[in-house]
Amino acid sequence: AQKITQTQPGMFVQEKEAVTLDCTYDTSDPSYGLFWYKQPSSGEMIFLIYQGSYDQQNATEGRYSLNFQKARKSANLVISASQLGDSAMYFCAMRDLNTGFQKLVFGTGTRLLVSP
Amino acid sequence: DAGVIQSPRHEVTEMGQEVTLRCKPISGHDYLFWYRQTMMRGLELLIYFNNNVPIDDSGMPEDRFSAKMPNASFSTLKIQPSEPRDSAVYFCASSLRGDRTGELFFGEGSRLTVL
């Protein structure tokens, strides 16, 4: 069963606008962690933001915020004030007890293109 | 601090040849992961180690693939014999248990092309 679902293969946004990248997850564990990684064209995987299932507040890291809706099992990434350098693949990932709590299961990714 | 170091960055080989990919995790990290990325299958976990011991190798495609971690600072992923369908980017990552997020720190990847 697919544990992480990213339904948007590609997204377009204009520079300086905000964009939301969708991610839904599936787990029966009460304890889990959700991650977003960025993969630019150069290929490296860059950690962006983390949300724990017990965290009371939505995670924020600079221009990145995570819209965590536990009941809906969604963990959307919001990028505010998009920059040209934000053009990249973005992966949502999860760890939980069922998957072995240390390893991450990744979604298929969303390609974001930021235009001038 | 140095990040996860992988070598080679690029490897082009012919079908049937042995391929060895190498990884040096971040010092002090106790988990090491090998992932493979392809267009068709995305990012898939092949195997991971805890304190040099393999914990889960259920993602290893077949017997042609093997991975070792002889010590805390070195791991190898070997493919013998290689096939064209093994062409992919292979990532090594490490993490530290007890770290609040448990984020994985990735190397830059080894791009393998099997002709």
Side-chain angles (χ1 to χ4, degrees):
Chain A
Q2 186 81 340
K3 297 186 75 71
I4 293 285
T5 303
Q6 296 181 254
T7 57
Q8 305 155 316
M11 289 286 286
F12 294 88
V13 67
Q14 271 202 313
E15 204 176 3
K16 300 178 185 172
E17 293 187 348
V19 63
T20 298
L21 306 183
D22 294 343
C23 173
T24 57
Y25 58 92
D26 181 27
T27 181
S28 56
D29 290 333
S31 179
Y32 51 90
L34 297 156
F35 300 76
W36 279 92
Y37 280 81
K38 172 184 178 181
Q39 186 177 41
S41 58
S42 50
E44 70 270 30
M45 295 287 287
I46 302 167
F47 166 74
L48 295 178
I49 196 166
Y50 167 82
Q51 180 83 45
S53 59
Y54 292 122
D55 291 345
Q56 294 295 312
Q57 294 188 329
N58 287 348
T60 60
E61 291 286 347
R63 293 186 300 110
Y64 304 108
S65 60
L66 203 151
N67 184 2
F68 182 44
Q69 299 188 41
K70 200 168 182 177
R72 297 180 61 186
K73 293 189 175 179
S74 74
N76 299 339
L77 177 70
V78 180
I79 305 174
S80 63
S82 298
Q83 302 172 356
L84 296 178
D86 293 335
S87 294
M89 282 289 289
Y90 288 82
F91 293 95
C92 181
M94 181 180 71
R95 62 181 172 99
D96 64 7
L97 283 172
N98 280 337
T99 58
F101 203 67
Q102 290 296 319
K103 71 184 185 185
L104 298 189
V105 175
F106 286 84
T108 53
T110 295
R111 183 173 298 280
L112 176 66
L113 183 61
V114 181
S115 59
Chain B
D1 287 339
V4 176
I5 299 172
Q6 291 187 246
S7 65
R9 291 293 313 281
H10 302 274
E11 174 95 4
V12 180
T13 190
E14 292 191 345
M15 185 173 69
Q17 296 297 306
E18 178 179 295
V19 174
T20 299
L21 307 178
R22 297 173 177 79
C23 175
K24 177 179 168 56
I26 292 173
S27 177
H29 280 190
D30 51 357
Y31 281 85
L32 184 138
F33 306 81
W34 283 101
Y35 282 85
R36 178 172 69 176
Q37 185 177 33
T38 61
M39 289 293 292
M40 292 297 296
R41 300 174 69 89
L43 270 161
E44 50 182 346
L45 178 68
L46 300 178
I47 185 171
Y48 76 99
F49 296 82
N50 175 222
N51 291 325
N52 315 338
V53 176
I55 301 301
D56 182 357
D57 65 353
S58 59
M60 295 286 263
E62 48 199 273
D63 292 346
R64 297 185 297 107
F65 285 69
S66 62
K68 294 182 180 179
M69 192 166 185
N71 57 62
S73 58
F74 184 65
S75 177
T76 59
L77 178 67
K78 187 173 292 187
I79 309 172
Q80 166 64 16
S82 58
E83 296 182 3
R85 59 192 167 128
D86 302 329
S87 297
V89 179
Y90 292 81
F91 285 102
C92 177
S94 68
S95 70
L96 177 63
R97 185 181 185 87
D99 177 74
R100 188 186 85 83
T101 68
E103 74 180 85
L104 269 57
F105 293 81
F106 282 82
E108 294 183 309
S110 294
R111 181 176 294 276
L112 173 65
T113 302
V114 183
L115 303 174

